[in-house]
Amino acid sequence: MLLKTSLRSFFAHKGRMLLSLIAVVLSVAFVSGTLVFSNTATSTFDKLFASTASDLSVGPAKPEFGEEDAREKARAISVETVRKVAAVPGVKTAIGQVAVENATLVDPATNKQVGPTSGAPTIVGNWADTPRNAVEITSGHLPQGGDQVVVDADTAKKAKLGLGGRLRVITTDKHDFTIVGIASFKTTNPGAALAFLDTPTAQNVLLGQSAFTSVEVFGDGSRTDEQLKSDALGGLGAGYQAKTAAEQKADGQKSVGSFLDFMKYAMLGFAGVSLLVGGFLIINTFSMLVAQRTREIGLLRAVGGSRKQVNRSVLVEALLLGVTGSTLGIGAGLGLAVGLIQLMNAVGMHLDAGDLAIGADVFVAGYAVGIVITVLAAWIPARRASRIAPIAALRDHGTPAEPRSNTVRAVIGLVLTAGGGGLLVLAARAEKTATGGQYIGLGVLLTLVGFVVLGPLLATTVVRVLGALLPTLFGPSGRLAQRNAMRNPRRTGATAAALMIGLALVVGASVFTSTVIKSTNQQIDRSVGADYIISAGQNGVSPEIVDAVRKTSGVDHVTEQKSLRARFTTPDGKTSDSTVSAVSAQFTDDFRLPVKAGSADSLKQGSLAVGEDYAKDHGLKVGDAVKIDYGQGRAQSLPVGVIMTKGNSLFDGNTFASLDTVGKAVPAAAQPVDAVLFGKAAAGADVARTLTALEDALKEYPQASVRDQAGYKDLVQEQVNTLLYMIYGLLGLAIVVAVLGVVNTLALSVVERTREIGLLRAIGLSRRQLRRMIRLESMVIALFGAILGTALGLAWGITGQRVLRTQGLEALAVPVTTIVFTLAASVVIGLLAALIPAFRAGRMNVLAAIATD
């Protein structure tokens, strides 16, 4: 009987359940789609790495300190090393390979850089036939001779290159080649751009010597990979590293894993936001359905139904909604996964949409998320329904007032909000960023929950204020709209809470990003005296680019900055691996270091500039000596000459020394290329005209970019805005779900008030006035949610700035335009959400509405 009753009720109200169903579908689709995409990408790359990895790869030993850097010269192994590895027992084939990532590909016809823009590498090397080549020639032939090159098909298609075309390879010099072959990946392209030369040309152009970057080993099956590794390293001695096929596969997974994990967890995070917002929609839906079925519930209780049975009846309906929504959501998730795969294909990371990896985890997670959130959201109205006394339900078409529950709600809400507010205050006053971060995390959670709990209680007061002008401006329609919004504070609060969450995150993110931009701009104005910033991506600024800048008319001097890996040993005996930023002598003229102790000019006399936090952690003071080991027996001891005040992102985390000082330990030939270059305009030179001259001088080097201070500020703003727009886009889903909540609430309230609407029409309220009443009610509810969300977002954003004030966010910026736009958009959201419910209400037959029970 219970199941029949639940099924009959569910299908009787299927139209009213539709919008709640959409919320469940969207949330589950995000979760299942993310998992399918992640599983598919991981499976695809696993196949790629497993099918192309050699049994053993032998190369130069890893750097003594830190990770390999593309700005450094490629490390190589001799031809003799290849011969030694080939002689190891169990080796069937040993192939010398050249592959570097510090070369730049350019189309000479357009002088534009060729290669990926998604962060994937550009790899240039020799064509070496191995038993497990990742690519095969599908057009043309192998490179033969010093002027021929083969490129991968994806790069050729994207750059519109073809056989017979020209391709320039820029290393320390520029080399032009003719494209004689197109190579296609056998499995998938992880997004990289590949170019192949013949072996002698690759050695000469890329390494400047007859050598290789690695030797790829394929065994004869008589020994395991681990045995091959042990024997190979035993015969070579120190200075080499070897990786088995399994280790190469793990490295490949790690290289793409960080990017895939970022996408995975970002999307799951926003799926969580949409789930939370959707939960309020479901609570509202079931609350209003329970209210409309009060008399029905009373009859069930009167004929012997227990509280548990009534409770279960509502929960069974929720279970049906959860199962249906989860099933549809998993299906939609597959479509979302295909869309993500197409997006990755568009940026160069090719995946096969026909080979989706749909594991059991997709179904478990999808159904768990959809069913659990739906049943939990329905439990509150189900519990409320089961507590209705039979006689009261039969007599009163509505749920009874619950003054005690309101009191409890008020106490809990005030405690949570006050506790969260207190934590935000503690976070703002915390001296340590880590401590402040812990406080703000818990404070955000408590204030959010507190506002949700207090929402119904705030609704009465805030809506009365927001709707105060409605009676004056819109007459009876305005008065009715105000009273309708205040009639059921719990419903109004839950509906507004959905919008509140989305808008709080939008405003909080806007405050944070505006603060980053303003603080960075102030730091540039205060600290940067150089007129131009020249960079060339992860490969660094080559000496040719430095020479081109130096020779440009109107440039007074250039300041170089190199980054060298090193191990620091402080007087307290502690060691740490980091980098030394080696800079030209003019550095302290072109930059104003934030000095806490010492003198910035001491850099020119051979001292070291360290950060305030580093000095504090190791008890350093001006004059203390720090030992710096650059590896390969190169070391020096330098005194601390200046301690830099923390809070400037341009200098925080850096340790500076002059190039002349570092050059005493590390010869110029062993130093990496410049990480970045700074230019200073000559006295009396036109800064803008000199910028144009620099741009002209660097046209031959498309990998290089030059910006003045204003351009550098624009770049920072573009980078921050890119992140902000991504957040806006993903939060848009939560706002869409919130809008559905407003639509659902109004639609159900129209059904609930059918008889009332009929009476209003009977006593003279026109259709136009009725529709206006519903639109105004919706706008007030939306504006109420927007105000709460704006208040929360401002509190979170301002606190975040205070927590990070010592990390460079020293200037608070409140985006007034964004906030005003958000409030105005909330009114529009309310208006749009009311269109369908208002239209349906206006079409009601007056007599039929009055006769409704």
Side-chain angles (χ1 to χ4, degrees):
M1 176 183 172
L2 175 65
L3 181 59
K4 287 182 179 179
T5 303
S6 300
L7 286 171
R8 186 178 295 113
S9 177
F10 179 81
F11 288 109
H13 302 105
K14 55 182 178 295
R16 306 178 198 178
M17 294 284 193
L18 179 62
L19 296 181
S20 294
L21 183 69
I22 293 174
V24 177
V25 169
L26 288 174
S27 302
V28 173
F30 251 65
V31 174
S32 60
T34 300
L35 292 177
V36 170
F37 168 75
S38 177
N39 292 346
T40 301
T42 301
S43 173
T44 300
F45 288 118
D46 283 350
K47 292 176 183 177
L48 169 67
F49 301 137
S51 64
T52 59
S54 57
D55 294 333
L56 185 70
S57 180
V58 180
K62 294 177 65 174
E64 292 182 57
F65 318 122
E67 298 295 329
E68 295 186 50
D69 193 329
R71 291 186 291 263
E72 298 176 337
K73 292 182 179 179
R75 295 174 299 122
I77 58 175
S78 66
V79 175
E80 180 61 27
T81 301
V82 179
R83 296 195 186 101
K84 288 182 179 180
V85 173
V88 172
V91 173
K92 181 179 181 180
T93 307
I95 300 172
Q97 190 169 69
V98 179
V100 301
E101 297 183 15
N102 60 358
T104 302
L105 302 180
V106 177
D107 181 357
T110 61
N111 203 40
K112 291 184 178 180
Q113 188 171 347
V114 174
T117 57
S118 57
T122 295
I123 302 174
V124 183
N126 67 323
W127 181 274
D129 282 318
T130 73
R132 301 173 194 160
N133 267 4
V135 295
E136 59 185 352
I137 301 292
T138 53
S139 179
H141 58 80
L142 297 179
Q144 300 167 354
D147 66 341
Q148 297 184 359
V149 66
V150 170
V151 296
D152 71 275
D154 297 321
T155 300
K157 180 179 179 181
K158 187 179 298 183
K160 298 180 180 179
L161 300 173
L163 295 178
R166 302 288 286 175
L167 183 67
R168 179 172 296 159
V169 177
I170 301 178
T171 53
T172 53
D173 296 311
K174 292 179 289 188
H175 306 270
D176 285 1
F177 298 91
T178 300
I179 300 173
V180 297
I182 304 295
S184 299
F185 277 82
K186 294 180 180 179
T187 51
T188 185
N189 182 355
L194 305 182
F196 301 97
L197 312 171
D198 67 8
T199 298
T201 305
Q203 291 174 327
N204 178 53
V205 170
L206 304 176
L207 301 179
Q209 58 179 319
S210 180
F212 298 96
T213 55
S214 69
V215 52
E216 305 304 319
V217 178
F218 299 88
D220 59 12
S222 63
R223 294 171 180 255
T224 66
D225 292 352
E226 288 293 343
Q227 289 173 327
L228 286 175
K229 177 180 178 179
S230 176
D231 292 346
L233 289 178
L236 293 175
Y240 297 90
Q241 65 173 336
K243 295 180 181 180
T244 63
E247 291 169 334
Q248 294 174 61
K249 179 181 177 181
D251 283 350
Q253 291 171 332
K254 183 179 179 181
S255 65
V256 299
S258 57
F259 171 74
L260 295 177
D261 284 346
F262 170 77
M263 289 194 63
K264 176 180 178 180
Y265 293 121
M267 292 181 65
L268 288 178
F270 287 102
V273 173
S274 66
L275 276 173
L276 181 61
V277 175
F280 289 107
L281 195 162
I282 295 166
I283 289 174
N284 253 9
T285 299
F286 279 93
S287 294
M288 297 179 73
L289 290 177
V290 166
Q292 292 169 27
R293 292 164 49 199
T294 302
R295 183 167 293 179
E296 175 188 328
I297 291 171
L299 286 171
L300 285 174
R301 293 291 310 280
V303 298
S306 66
R307 284 187 176 183
K308 287 185 178 180
Q309 287 177 316
V310 171
N311 197 337
R312 289 174 187 169
S313 174
V314 178
L315 292 180
V316 167
E317 291 183 49
L319 180 62
L320 291 172
L321 178 67
V323 171
T324 305
S326 298
T327 303
L328 295 176
I330 291 173
L334 299 181
L336 177 62
V338 172
L340 289 172
I341 288 173
Q342 296 302 326
L343 177 63
M344 292 298 99
N345 290 346
V347 299
M349 183 180 287
H350 291 275
L351 304 173
D352 186 3
D355 192 22
L356 294 179
I358 308 172
D361 59 332
V362 175
F363 294 95
V364 171
Y367 280 108
V369 165
I371 293 173
V372 170
I373 192 66
T374 306
V375 172
L376 285 179
W379 178 79
I380 297 174
R383 177 175 172 271
R384 192 180 304 136
S386 68
R387 296 175 63 185
I388 302 174
I391 301 301
L394 290 170
R395 183 180 62 248
D396 182 22
H397 192 71
T399 56
E402 298 181 56
R404 182 175 177 275
S405 67
N406 287 340
T407 302
V408 173
R409 175 187 289 270
V411 172
I412 294 175
L414 288 172
V415 169
L416 289 172
T417 304
L423 286 170
L424 293 181
V425 172
L426 289 176
R429 294 181 177 179
E431 295 184 2
K432 294 185 177 180
T433 303
T435 303
Q438 294 173 351
Y439 285 148
I440 193 175
L442 187 55
V444 165
L445 177 62
L446 290 182
T447 51
L448 175 61
V449 177
F451 265 56
V452 169
V453 175
L454 282 177
L457 303 178
L458 293 172
T460 304
T461 303
V462 177
V463 170
R464 179 179 284 111
V465 174
L466 293 177
L469 293 177
L470 294 183
T472 303
L473 296 176
F474 301 101
S477 297
R479 184 176 295 106
L480 288 169
Q482 181 191 34
R483 291 179 180 178
N484 285 338
M486 295 166 53
R487 175 188 295 181
N488 193 326
R490 180 176 289 162
R491 180 194 304 163
T492 299
T495 304
L499 271 175
M500 177 188 74
I501 295 170
L503 295 179
L505 293 171
V506 167
V507 172
S510 298
V511 171
F512 176 77
T513 52
S514 297
T515 296
V516 169
I517 293 170
K518 183 177 180 180
S519 299
T520 303
N521 287 347
Q522 287 188 359
Q523 290 166 7
I524 292 172
D525 291 337
R526 184 171 61 247
S527 303
V528 180
D531 295 307
Y532 313 105
I533 300 96
I534 299 95
S535 59
Q538 62 181 0
N539 294 338
V541 182
S542 67
E544 290 73 24
I545 295 176
V546 177
D547 289 341
V549 172
R550 280 201 174 106
K551 294 174 182 177
T552 301
S553 175
V555 174
D556 181 72
H557 66 267
V558 298
T559 298
E560 301 178 62
Q561 181 174 331
K562 300 177 184 288
S563 182
L564 290 85
R565 290 192 304 269
R567 174 165 291 167
F568 296 82
T569 303
T570 47
D572 59 4
K574 296 180 181 178
T575 62
S576 58
D577 293 346
S578 187
T579 57
V580 173
S581 293
V583 293
S584 304
Q586 301 96 332
F587 181 76
T588 53
D589 299 326
D590 291 342
F591 289 86
R592 293 174 284 278
L593 294 181
V595 177
K596 183 176 182 65
S599 169
D601 287 336
S602 63
L603 276 179
K604 298 177 181 179
Q605 281 76 52
S607 70
L608 204 61
V610 300
E612 180 181 354
D613 284 339
Y614 185 79
K616 184 177 180 180
D617 291 341
H618 297 280
L620 293 174
K621 59 184 183 297
V622 174
D624 289 347
V626 177
K627 182 179 179 182
I628 305 175
D629 185 354
Y630 301 99
Q632 300 182 353
R634 299 166 179 148
Q636 60 185 173
S637 182
L638 300 178
V640 174
V642 58
I643 297 174
M644 299 177 292
T645 305
K646 66 180 179 180
N648 191 313
S649 58
L650 300 177
F651 306 110
D652 284 349
N654 283 302
T655 300
F656 293 101
S658 75
L659 267 172
D660 293 337
T661 301
V662 172
K664 295 176 182 178
V666 183
Q671 295 175 9
V673 298
D674 293 332
V676 65
L677 189 69
F678 305 97
K680 181 70 175 178
D686 186 290
V687 176
R689 185 172 297 175
T690 304
L691 174 63
T692 303
L694 280 170
E695 292 172 341
D696 292 338
L698 296 178
K699 280 184 178 179
E700 295 185 29
Y701 306 94
Q703 74 271 33
S705 64
V706 56
R707 294 178 177 86
D708 57 10
Q709 288 194 22
Y712 187 68
K713 291 177 183 178
D714 291 340
L715 175 64
V716 172
Q717 184 164 343
E718 288 172 7
Q719 292 171 339
V720 173
N721 284 344
T722 299
L723 174 63
L724 182 63
Y725 295 149
M726 183 183 72
I727 293 173
Y728 282 173
L730 293 174
L731 286 177
L733 175 69
I735 295 175
V736 167
V737 175
V739 171
L740 293 177
V742 178
V743 174
N744 206 25
T745 298
L746 291 172
L748 289 173
S749 68
V750 167
V751 175
E752 183 183 85
R753 302 194 310 243
T754 299
R755 191 174 194 178
E756 174 189 322
I757 289 172
L759 290 171
L760 288 172
R761 291 292 314 284
I763 62 175
L765 193 70
S766 67
R767 286 185 177 182
R768 183 177 182 182
Q769 288 174 316
L770 176 63
R771 290 169 180 162
R772 181 184 296 164
M773 175 191 77
I774 294 173
R775 289 196 297 267
L776 291 174
E777 178 185 353
S778 175
M779 291 163 63
V780 168
I781 293 173
L783 189 57
F784 170 55
I787 289 174
L788 295 186
T790 300
L792 273 180
L794 285 173
W796 297 346
I798 292 171
T799 304
Q801 182 270 329
R802 296 299 301 163
V803 170
L804 296 173
R805 64 190 182 280
T806 60
Q807 305 300 313
L809 298 190
E810 56 188 22
L812 175 66
V814 177
V816 177
T817 303
T818 300
I819 292 173
V820 172
F821 175 80
T822 299
L823 293 175
S826 67
V827 175
V828 175
I829 287 172
L831 177 62
L832 295 176
L835 292 179
I836 295 177
F839 178 74
R840 291 184 61 189
R843 294 188 62 188
M844 283 185 183
N845 181 280
V846 177
L847 295 178
I850 294 174
T852 300
D853 187 10

